[in-house]
């Protein structure tokens, strides 16, 4: 096992006092360029790395942002973390990722306290409403931001997409194409986002004078296999839907697979629209019409918010929501009974984005 060098050893090799070595490595206080270069060379020779926990105990910044997730599965999570990493590094911070799934015992809660002490700030991505570490983070006096959460009010800032308005735009797109029997494939209730998207689905139907049919709302658990199973259930109805709105793209992919397995075609027989616009949405066949979540904008704002809090800016509970945008591709088209109507032309296959309005 490699011996861990101490700061005093670096100082001795460089021929300086330990306080001078500390200033050079921390980048705090005046140290001449020549001396700093000698100290950094000694640190490299001895493989010395600062102890971030010790730095935090001295009141220094660790330049670490802790990121809590409650599982690594969703593709959306990967996109958010990639964007968070980009913007954190631009601000001079690195990420420390922690899987907080099954946070159900006192010893696991101690990890939350440790990360709060080790990291300058914390970001919680897509937590569930009953995740116990949310309560711990609300209690801690640590700069914290929650990302993509719609389940309940929190004592820390929340940054997310406009789920309800985005869903309403998605369903309005299908209504404009002549669809009247529109199904909704819901996701898990944990983050609250699926429920908000269902509310937008109901809003759009009711505004069009359509009474929502409970038989057309099926859970797909936010996974592709769930979308497939939910669609099989929908296609088995006495009167199947002519269009499906899935609460995320992965379930929409499953829906397309299930439709194809029945010998039906998307969008000729059934239209499908998703939510998120993950990278593979433009690679499947047919290319998926979906609601584009501004992951980069959400991540940039979340990082700025938590870094501002670290710097001493005061903030309180707030929900910052960014609009989702409709990206029309190949998976949506006129309702079968409306295909011959000149007032409802088929949408072009090329992608375009339409900003969400508040109406």
């Amino acid at each position: 096992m490699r011996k861990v060098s101490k700061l005093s050893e670096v100082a001795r090799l460089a021929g300086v006092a330990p306080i001078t070595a500390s200033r050079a490595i921390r980048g705090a206080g005046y140290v001449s360029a020549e001396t700093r270069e000698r100290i950094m060379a000694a640190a490299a020779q001895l493989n010395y790395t600062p102890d971030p926990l010790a730095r935090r105990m001295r009141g220094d910044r660790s330049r670490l942002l802790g990121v809590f997730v409650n599982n690594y599965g969703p593709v959306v999570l990967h996109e958010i973390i990639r964007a968070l990493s980009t913007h954190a590094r631009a601000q001079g911070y690195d990420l420390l990722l922690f899987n907080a799934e099954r946070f159900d015992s006192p010893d696991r809660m101690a990890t939350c306290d440790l990360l709060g002490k080790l990291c300058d700030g914390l970001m919680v991505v897509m937590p569930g409403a009953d995740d116990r570490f949310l309560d711990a983070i609300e209690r801690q006096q640590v700069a914290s931001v929650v990302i993509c959460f719609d389940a309940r009010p929190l004592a820390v800032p929340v940054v997310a997409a406009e789920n309800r308005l985005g869903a309403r735009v998605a369903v309005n797109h299908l209504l404009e194409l002549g669809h009247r029997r529109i199904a909704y494939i819901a996701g898990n209730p944990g983050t609250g986002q699926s429920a908000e998207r269902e509310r937008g689905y109901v809003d759009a139907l009711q505004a069009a004078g359509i009474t929502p049919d409970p038989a057309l709302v099926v859970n797909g658990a936010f996974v592709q296999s769930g979308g497939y199973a939910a669609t099989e259930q929908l296609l088995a109805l006495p009167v199947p839907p002519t269009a499906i709105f899935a609460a995320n793209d992965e379930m929409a992919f499953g829906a397309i697979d299930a439709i194809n397995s029945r010998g039906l075609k998307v969008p000729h027989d059934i239209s499908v629209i998703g939510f998120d616009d993950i990278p593979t949405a433009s690679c499947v066949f047919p290319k998926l019409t979906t609601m584009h979540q501004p992951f980069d904008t959400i991540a940039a704002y979340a990082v700025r918010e938590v870094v501002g809090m670290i710097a001493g800016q005061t903030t309180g509970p707030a929900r910052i929501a960014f609009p989702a945008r409709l990206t029309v591709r190949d998976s949506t088209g006129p309702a079968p009974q409306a295909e011959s109507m000149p007032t409802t032309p088929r949408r072009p296959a090329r992608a375009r984005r339409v900003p969400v309005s508040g109406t």
Side-chain angles (χ1 to χ4, degrees):
M1 182 181 295
R2 181 177 63 84
K3 179 184 176 183
V4 178
S5 299
K6 298 179 180 179
L7 181 64
S8 59
E9 295 172 337
V10 174
R12 189 180 305 114
L13 181 61
V16 297
I19 186 63
T20 305
S22 175
R23 287 173 181 166
I25 291 170
R26 290 163 53 205
Y30 174 76
V31 179
S32 70
E34 180 183 350
T35 302
R36 185 185 304 276
E37 184 177 347
R38 192 165 71 250
I39 293 168
M40 299 310 289
Q45 182 178 334
L46 294 173
N47 293 317
Y48 172 80
T49 55
D51 182 343
L53 186 55
R55 291 177 62 178
R56 289 284 290 162
M57 292 176 68
R58 290 196 304 267
D60 296 340
R61 294 181 184 172
S62 66
R63 310 304 295 183
L64 289 174
L65 299 179
V67 179
F68 278 76
V69 299
N70 63 2
N71 71 78
Y72 289 124
V75 175
V76 167
L77 180 65
H78 304 166
E79 294 303 305
I80 295 171
I81 291 175
R82 181 183 294 113
L84 287 174
S85 179
T86 297
H87 291 286
R89 290 179 69 85
Q91 297 271 8
Y93 285 84
D94 289 313
L95 298 187
L96 182 61
L97 186 64
F98 178 71
N99 184 8
E101 193 174 10
R102 296 185 297 278
F103 225 78
D104 53 5
S105 62
D107 59 315
R108 297 293 303 278
M109 294 304 293
T111 306
C112 181
D113 295 333
L114 174 62
L115 286 179
K117 294 173 182 176
L118 177 62
C119 300
D120 295 333
L122 301 175
M123 296 184 289
V124 187
V125 184
M126 295 171 56
D130 56 354
D131 283 343
R132 292 181 59 195
F133 64 84
L134 275 178
D135 297 329
I137 285 171
E138 287 186 285
R139 289 194 304 269
Q140 289 189 47
Q141 298 299 311
V142 179
S144 303
V145 173
V146 175
I147 300 167
C148 294
F149 183 78
D150 247 330
R152 61 180 174 85
L154 295 175
V156 297
V158 176
V159 187
E162 284 281 13
N163 291 297
R164 187 169 183 170
L165 287 178
R168 184 166 181 170
V169 168
V171 178
N172 280 338
H173 169 66
L174 298 172
L175 291 167
E176 290 171 3
L177 291 169
H179 296 278
R180 291 298 178 266
R181 192 157 174 79
I182 302 170
Y184 176 65
I185 302 181
N188 290 328
T191 67
Q193 295 183 105
S194 178
E196 282 298 294
R197 292 169 194 176
E198 185 173 345
R199 291 185 183 100
Y201 161 80
V202 171
D203 290 344
L205 293 181
Q206 291 180 336
I210 299 171
T211 301
D213 183 351
L216 293 178
V217 178
V218 184
N219 192 285
F222 277 137
V223 295
Q224 186 164 341
S225 59
Y228 187 101
T231 302
E232 286 198 314
Q233 183 177 335
L234 292 168
L235 294 177
L237 292 172
V239 183
T242 64
I244 294 173
F245 168 41
N248 76 347
D249 290 348
E250 292 184 71
M251 292 191 299
F253 299 157
I256 291 173
D257 288 342
I259 293 165
N260 289 338
S261 73
R262 292 291 190 96
L264 301 173
K265 294 182 178 180
V266 177
H268 183 269
D269 298 303
I270 302 179
S271 287
V272 177
I273 187 170
F275 202 112
D276 289 334
D277 198 16
I278 59 178
T280 45
S282 60
C283 301
V284 295
F285 180 82
K287 295 178 181 179
L288 184 67
T289 295
T290 185
M291 297 304 299
H292 175 84
Q293 278 213 70
F295 296 126
D296 189 74
T297 303
I298 289 171
Y301 194 97
V303 170
R304 284 200 305 270
E305 187 82 358
V306 76
V307 169
M309 294 165 70
I310 292 167
Q313 297 175 12
T314 57
T315 186
R319 185 176 184 278
I320 302 95
F322 293 94
R325 294 176 294 176
L326 175 64
T327 299
V328 179
R329 297 193 179 101
D330 301 343
S331 66
T332 52
Q337 70 273 17
E339 251 187 359
S340 60
M341 297 171 61
T343 55
T344 314
R346 184 180 294 275
R347 292 294 178 108
R350 65 185 181 85
R352 67 184 182 88
R353 289 177 177 169
V354 181
V356 171
S357 66
T359 58

